């Protein structure tokens, strides 16, 4: 079934569109603009993901540094106990 009577709504008037491909293109561009351009939800999600990644990196660095320092401390204490 082929639709030959495609229309475009502009303001309060309805116009018949001569080319159905342009009508489809206009529909897709308007839909994509409405779907993706006006929303800040995606940007906020990216910001939260970056924040979580930064916190994870900071935790890993802190744990590695504290682990190395505690290893030195325990080795020093173990050597002192073994020497006594």
């Amino acid at each position: 079934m082929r639709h030959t009577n495609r229309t475009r709504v502009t303001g309060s008037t309805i116009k018949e569109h001569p080319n159905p491909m342009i009508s489809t293109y206009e529909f897709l561009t308007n839909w994509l603009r409405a779907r993706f351009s006006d929303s800040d939800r995606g940007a906020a999600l990216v910001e939260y993901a970056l924040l979580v990644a930064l916190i994870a990196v900071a935790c890993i660095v802190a744990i590695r540094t504290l682990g190395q320092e505690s290893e030195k401390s325990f080795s020093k204490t173990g050597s002192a106990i073994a020497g006594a």
Side-chain angles (χ1 to χ4, degrees):
M1 175 178 224
R2 185 170 183 223
H3 296 282
T4 57
N5 191 11
R6 294 185 184 241
T7 57
R8 180 176 62 162
V9 178
T10 307
S12 61
T13 62
I14 298 176
K15 297 178 182 178
E16 187 172 325
H17 207 289
N19 189 346
M21 285 300 290
I22 292 176
S23 176
T24 304
Y25 171 75
E26 287 176 350
F27 168 76
L28 286 175
T29 55
N30 288 333
W31 182 79
L32 288 171
R33 277 191 201 120
R35 178 75 173 105
F36 297 111
S37 69
D38 295 334
S39 176
D40 291 337
R41 190 171 58 186
L45 181 64
V46 170
E47 291 170 359
Y48 284 128
L50 289 173
L51 189 60
V52 167
L54 180 64
I55 291 170
V57 168
C59 289
I60 291 170
V61 168
I63 289 170
R64 289 195 70 173
T65 303
L66 290 174
Q68 290 171 353
E69 293 298 319
S70 63
E71 181 184 359
K72 290 177 188 175
S73 176
F74 284 124
S75 293
K76 186 177 176 181
T77 305
S79 296
I81 291 173

